[in-house]
Amino acid sequence: SLAQDRAFAASMTIPEIELPADADRHTVASPGYATRPGEIVGVERVPPELIEIVRQAWSRPVVEPREIEVLRLRDVFVAGEGLVFDRERRLVRRSVTQQSAEDIRLAHRELERAIAAGALRERHGAAILCVKPGLRNYGHWLIEMLPMAGLADFVLAGERLPALVPDVEGPLAGVIADSLGLLGFPPERIVPALSAPERVDELVLVIGLTSHGGAMSPLVFQTLDRLADGIAPLPYYERLYVRRQWPPWRRLADDEAVTARLMAEGYVPYSPEQFPLAHQMGAFRTARQVIGPAGAALANIAFCRPGTEVAAFYPANMPDNFFSFIAQHRGLDFIDVRCEAAGPPRSHMPYDTDLKLDPAVLERLVASGARLAPRRKPSRWRKAVRFFKVR
């Protein structure tokens, strides 16, 4: 049982190494960039211990350049949500992202059991690992996993390696296929994998593009620019209200009333999961103002043009910088709106409650949207692709 596995794993000490001795290493220059503070509305609702976490994205006026690593490892195992172990089953520390100590022990336990049972899948040849925690979340895929494929494919140009991607179903599976297809990955190079431990002949890892809640490289957005190159803006989407329908938390308690009020002012209620990826990119590329609860669907602000006003509705006790990082890189006018909880948590996370939006804040956003001059003739967007510098 899972409880027995957890009890057993808790008593284990997992051997570790930084990298196998025979690993190949490329580095890619991630440029520095300037930041500017966003606005927090309802900051008085944020618990004091979380204030610094919330403001972390704006704490440094300049983020220094750094290096992103593209590593090639040979004869390794992959288990859990993207954890890598060498041929002696030692944890490769560079593969750890958001996994907890318990996650690591359980993945190691699962690997040992698969080997003992002779049930380990063998994957021959080389592949790019595009899996990390949050693998069932659209925003994590778009910002944190998809760019791994884009960068590795550029660095290893000509090899045309397959991408090992989350083994998911439903709309996200389609998004994964569509987004990789736009980057030049045909279906035969998209491999849903890692539902169980695997041994891989050669595994390519991209390290340092993002650290969830802590860092986000500008190179992420170079990949997204390639993704959206040639996608035309869509008319009628100047002001978007991004509705959160799933999962069933972090939604506005009075969503129907808010929707009616916004529609009366010309806002378009938009549920991205109901549209193909190209439509989502076009809609957000058109928008002058985007408002909605903080959740995966709001990650599409990565396709907005500089100067777009974005307001994200947060629970007061949610420590998150994901959307403010996107706003920094895209030059968006970002407003972090802290809301009261409307009821108890609906998941194991204390901040996964419904939200109560202050009516005065809603009217402020409506007034701000009314001042935005509409774009009369949306021109076709074709952004020039900037190229990576590899050494």
Side-chain angles (χ1 to χ4, degrees):
S1 71
L2 180 60
Q4 289 172 325
D5 279 350
R6 284 177 171 166
F8 180 84
S11 66
M12 298 172 61
T13 300
I14 308 300
E16 301 180 358
I17 60 168
E18 192 64 30
L19 278 177
D22 60 350
D24 293 338
R25 179 176 181 267
H26 299 272
T27 61
V28 183
S30 178
Y33 56 93
T35 69
R36 58 173 180 157
E39 180 183 0
I40 303 177
V41 174
V43 66
E44 69 280 357
R45 298 189 180 101
V46 182
E49 64 273 15
L50 296 184
I51 288 291
E52 293 308 313
I53 297 176
V54 172
R55 288 177 168 157
Q56 181 181 348
W58 313 322
S59 62
R60 290 181 293 172
V62 176
V63 176
E64 298 298 326
R66 57 195 180 91
E67 291 185 338
I68 309 300
E69 296 179 301
V70 179
L71 308 172
R72 187 190 293 260
L73 282 57
R74 297 172 177 83
D75 189 14
V76 294
F77 303 98
V78 185
E81 294 184 330
L83 290 168
V84 181
F85 300 85
D86 75 348
R87 61 178 62 92
E88 297 175 25
R89 278 102 87 179
R90 296 175 296 183
L91 173 69
V92 177
R93 282 195 293 269
R94 296 285 183 89
S95 70
V96 178
T97 51
Q98 295 167 254
Q99 298 92 341
S100 66
E102 182 183 49
D103 293 334
I104 293 169
R105 290 192 292 264
L106 286 172
H108 189 270
R109 169 73 164 156
E110 187 181 19
L111 173 61
E112 294 285 9
R113 293 176 68 174
I115 292 173
L120 191 71
R121 178 185 295 174
E122 297 276 340
R123 191 170 298 282
H124 300 293
I128 305 165
L129 182 64
C130 303
V131 176
K132 66 176 295 295
L135 53 82
R136 291 175 178 82
N137 182 290
Y138 168 77
H140 288 245
W141 166 256
L142 184 71
I143 303 297
E144 301 190 313
M145 289 174 262
L146 175 65
M148 294 176 179
L151 182 58
D153 194 49
F154 179 85
V155 171
L156 305 174
E159 293 196 45
R160 296 183 60 78
L161 300 181
L164 301 183
V165 304
D167 187 7
V168 297
E169 298 178 348
L172 183 56
V175 166
I176 290 173
D178 290 347
S179 56
L180 282 170
L182 289 169
L183 290 182
F185 284 73
E188 62 269 19
R189 291 178 60 202
I190 303 172
V191 183
L194 307 177
S195 55
E198 300 184 8
R199 180 199 160 274
V200 184
D201 284 346
E202 295 187 10
L203 189 69
V204 175
L205 299 180
V206 178
I207 307 297
L209 269 178
T210 62
S211 173
H212 194 74
M216 193 178 287
S217 168
L219 299 186
V220 167
F221 300 91
Q222 293 190 17
T223 292
L224 297 185
D225 287 347
R226 290 172 56 202
L227 185 73
D229 182 36
I231 298 293
L234 300 175
Y236 316 122
Y237 290 96
E238 295 282 336
R239 288 179 283 178
L240 286 181
Y241 171 44
V242 181
R243 303 185 74 182
R244 181 172 171 85
Q245 297 182 325
W246 187 263
W249 52 75
R250 239 180 293 146
R251 299 184 296 190
L252 296 185
D254 54 349
D255 177 71
E256 290 187 7
V258 170
T259 300
R261 174 75 182 101
L262 292 173
M263 289 181 67
E265 297 294 333
Y267 286 80
V268 178
Y270 193 74
S271 300
E273 67 275 9
Q274 296 179 0
F275 295 92
L277 180 61
H279 191 282
Q280 296 178 46
M281 291 189 287
F284 279 78
R285 191 61 185 167
T286 300
R288 303 294 304 279
Q289 185 187 43
V290 179
I291 62 177
L298 211 61
N300 280 318
I301 63 173
F303 300 113
C304 287
R305 302 191 201 196
T308 300
E309 182 180 292
V310 175
F313 306 148
Y314 281 99
N317 60 339
M318 182 177 178
D320 181 83
N321 283 326
F322 188 75
F323 302 106
S324 59
F325 276 127
I326 297 173
Q328 294 283 356
H329 288 292
R330 283 306 195 203
L332 311 179
D333 292 331
F334 184 73
I335 305 173
D336 178 326
V337 179
R338 294 287 155 163
C339 302
E340 293 181 26
R346 293 175 174 263
S347 82
H348 65 287
M349 303 303 294
Y351 47 75
D352 281 339
T353 65
D354 285 341
L355 307 178
K356 187 184 301 182
L357 179 63
D358 186 336
V361 173
L362 177 62
E363 293 307 316
R364 171 190 161 177
L365 294 173
V366 168
S368 180
R371 290 193 297 268
L372 296 172
R375 297 186 180 107
R376 295 184 181 275
K377 294 182 179 179
S379 59
R380 186 172 181 81
W381 175 52
R382 185 173 292 275
K383 189 176 178 70
V385 178
R386 297 164 289 171
F387 292 96
F388 303 113
K389 296 179 181 179
V390 186
R391 61 179 182 271

